[in-house]
Amino acid sequence: MKRFKNHLDERQEQELLKIEHNGAWGAFIGLLAAIFIQGIMGAPFSQIAGEWIVFMAVCIYMVIACARHGIWDRYLQPKASHNLLASMVGGVIVFAFNTAVIWRYWDGAFEPSLLLIPLMSGFFVFVLCFVLTSLTSAYVKKRAKKLEADAEDEDA
Amino acid sequence: MKNIAMKMARVEKDFSQEALAQQVGVTRQTIGMIEAGKFNPSLRLCLDICHALGKTLNDLFWEEETV
């Protein structure tokens, strides 16, 4: 396949990568915000399906690509305490989202039992995230070891 | 840290930043930023600059450890 000629030098290439990185994260966060805001406004799933599919596709691509290269995260490490922290953040976000939805649409007087749904959904998301991050981090550690071993073999 | 050695070697060869940039296939701004210590070039680009200026990596890019 004929490729386009790259007219950038290595410094420009690095700067373009930084710009693309910022743009990609901006789009990622913007997409998530759009899904949340539309969800809180009561949009049906059919209306946010497009954003949701793109968002999930990006997430899946990033997880698979990072895992294949044995990369976990810049700041978090693939260990239980960090997985617990990240899962708690996920749970709290889902709790806050569902609380906001109920707060917006509930006409009657406030009852503490109303918080049961956000609490339960937040808790289940926390458990699900913890299980998934534990499985993924175990795979990433295994993959990183394999890549390390392969590099040693090439060196020999 | 500014790369004075590279600037001196370029001036000795009577190269402008533009001429050196053309020879090694980068922009003038990139050469300026390497000399100003604002961009760390790859080893490949360091070697190209050394070849263009007739110097070694030691001459242009070695820094004594500052403790």
Side-chain angles (χ1 to χ4, degrees):
Chain A
M1 197 178 92
K2 195 178 175 186
R3 288 191 176 184
F4 291 109
K5 188 179 183 298
N6 186 349
H7 296 290
L8 302 182
D9 69 23
E10 62 183 53
R11 179 191 56 80
Q12 291 172 314
E13 188 71 43
Q14 278 184 24
E15 284 183 2
L16 180 61
L17 284 172
K18 270 187 220 163
I19 294 164
E20 287 172 340
H21 163 92
N22 293 339
W25 274 110
F28 187 81
I29 292 165
L31 212 50
L32 183 62
I35 293 170
F36 267 52
I37 291 166
Q38 288 183 87
I40 292 170
M41 301 296 281
F45 182 71
S46 58
Q47 195 179 313
I48 56 175
E51 286 97 322
W52 189 83
I53 290 167
V54 171
F55 184 78
M56 291 311 289
V58 171
C59 290
I60 291 167
Y61 163 73
M62 285 170 69
V63 168
I64 292 173
C66 286
R68 280 188 60 212
H69 290 89
I71 295 169
W72 186 241
D73 183 61
R74 274 195 192 83
Y75 308 107
L76 298 175
Q77 291 169 4
K79 59 185 187 182
S81 60
H82 287 193
N83 292 345
L84 202 66
L85 183 73
S87 307
M88 275 170 67
V89 170
V92 168
I93 289 171
V94 169
F95 168 75
F97 174 76
N98 284 334
T99 305
V101 171
I102 287 177
W103 176 72
R104 187 171 192 283
Y105 290 102
W106 183 252
D107 287 334
F110 176 78
E111 291 171 31
S113 63
L114 282 174
L115 287 179
L116 202 62
I117 294 171
L119 270 175
M120 291 298 283
S121 56
F123 177 72
F124 281 119
V125 165
F126 160 71
V127 172
L128 185 68
C129 285
F130 186 65
V131 170
L132 287 175
T133 49
S134 299
L135 290 174
T136 317
S137 62
Y139 173 77
V140 166
K141 277 198 267 190
K142 202 174 143 190
R143 180 76 186 147
K145 265 187 195 164
K146 189 185 177 308
L147 291 170
E148 197 78 15
D150 288 351
E152 277 169 17
D153 287 346
E154 280 167 23
D155 203 31
Chain B
M1 190 189 278
K2 283 186 181 181
N3 193 333
I4 307 288
M6 180 175 149
K7 190 172 183 175
M8 296 287 284
R10 177 174 61 77
V11 173
E12 269 174 31
K13 271 263 180 184
D14 207 18
F15 275 174
S16 64
Q17 285 188 341
E18 183 73 48
L20 178 59
Q22 268 187 2
Q23 190 142 346
V24 297
V26 297
T27 59
R28 190 206 60 77
Q29 195 189 356
T30 299
I31 297 296
M33 286 176 80
I34 296 169
E35 288 182 356
K38 290 178 181 165
F39 173 65
N40 288 323
S42 66
L43 181 57
R44 179 71 265 159
L45 181 52
C46 289
L47 287 168
D48 288 345
I49 291 169
C50 288
H51 290 144
L53 297 177
K55 298 282 181 183
T56 65
L57 280 171
N58 263 6
D59 295 335
L60 299 188
F61 295 102
W62 182 253
E63 281 176 8
E64 288 303 327
E65 222 171 344
T66 49
V67 183

